[in-house]
Amino acid sequence: MNPFDLPPIAAILAAAASALGALGAVVTPAGAIVLVTLAVRALLIPVGVSVARAAQNRRRLAPRLAELQKRHRKNPERLQRETMALYAAEKVSPFAGCLPMLAQAPVISLVYALFASATIAGEPNELLHSTLFGAGLGRHLLDLGAGVQLSDLVFALLLVTIGVVAFLNRRMALRDAPAVAPDAPGAALLNPRGPLSWTPFLTLIAAAFVPLAATLYLAVSGAWSYAERRILRARYA
């Protein structure tokens, strides 16, 4: 059974499709997605501020963390307890950077569903006729065949945008991140220079499996994220 056909989900999709269609009639369907993305990111500015403050606090705590690592290097369990206690006492979360993407997950899922369903609430999905520079918003990168058309280059443009933004966001995070000893407990999670530092590039992989509409959302949101981090980084240096 298609989960999108379940009554509660179908009702949400129908309402969202009507709202997006009405907005798309004023601008364009693709323009409507851009406006929705900007509206969501504007609502999440307080989350971005909290992330910037958390990064500032982590930089402030860096000397104390280094001292804990030096003092308890031979006692990993004690080091982990002391590290978590320090974060808790200072009300700093080492995972605050994940909040913006987690907060957007429901919206991204909704955009995906709107352009991945042939029908919505039993009716043909008219959104699938929408295009961006001639490329269908419901198409996937994997749908492209050997004969790539000029309109399909929009996929490449969005993927390049997502990749460049991911690179810039990672570089900024590495520049601001406090050092964590590689043998410290939970270093893979706590160390922004570890394997998890590459998580921004997971968006690039996801873009190959979602409709073009969702790829557009990810590209615009990523660009906003980089600009927001640059501004807040200057404010909370």
Side-chain angles (χ1 to χ4, degrees):
M1 180 179 180
N2 188 343
F4 298 147
D5 292 333
L6 295 174
I9 298 178
I12 293 173
L13 290 179
S18 297
L20 192 62
L23 183 57
V26 177
V27 284
T28 63
I33 293 173
V34 171
L35 290 177
V36 168
T37 308
L38 296 177
V40 170
R41 291 309 310 243
L43 290 174
L44 292 178
I45 286 177
V47 176
V49 171
S50 69
V51 171
R53 286 176 173 169
Q56 181 188 46
N57 287 330
R58 286 196 299 272
R59 291 192 296 271
R60 175 175 56 82
L61 295 178
R64 296 169 66 183
L65 289 171
E67 179 61 28
L68 285 177
Q69 292 167 18
K70 181 179 179 181
R71 185 185 309 164
H72 304 297
R73 186 177 299 276
K74 296 182 179 180
N75 189 341
E77 293 184 0
R78 175 73 180 275
L79 175 57
Q80 187 173 28
R81 288 198 306 271
E82 294 289 342
T83 300
M84 292 298 102
L86 176 60
Y87 277 127
E90 297 292 335
K91 296 181 172 59
V92 175
S93 170
F95 310 112
C98 301
L99 291 178
M101 185 55 68
L102 291 176
Q104 292 180 86
V107 180
I108 297 173
S109 300
L110 183 59
V111 173
Y112 172 86
L114 286 174
F115 289 89
S117 307
T119 61
I120 294 179
E123 299 293 332
N125 186 358
E126 298 297 330
L127 292 175
L128 296 182
H129 300 300
S130 307
T131 62
L132 173 61
F133 298 118
L137 289 176
R139 295 191 68 187
H140 295 64
L141 178 64
L142 299 180
D143 292 336
L144 302 183
V148 178
Q149 302 177 3
L150 181 61
S151 61
D152 293 330
L153 293 180
V154 68
F155 281 97
L157 178 60
L158 292 178
L159 290 176
V160 168
T161 300
I162 293 172
V164 169
V165 167
F167 170 79
L168 293 175
N169 277 326
R170 180 179 184 272
R171 187 175 68 173
M172 189 183 304
L174 293 181
R175 185 185 304 150
D176 296 339
V180 175
D183 58 344
L189 291 176
L190 299 177
N191 188 359
R193 295 174 174 80
L196 290 184
S197 70
W198 295 96
T199 52
F201 289 92
L202 292 179
T203 304
L204 191 60
I205 299 175
F209 300 94
V210 298
L212 179 60
T215 303
L216 176 60
Y217 181 100
L218 292 172
V220 175
S221 179
W224 175 293
S225 177
Y226 176 69
E228 181 180 80
R229 291 186 70 173
R230 285 293 300 266
I231 295 171
L232 292 176
R233 180 175 178 270
R235 171 64 178 81
Y236 296 100

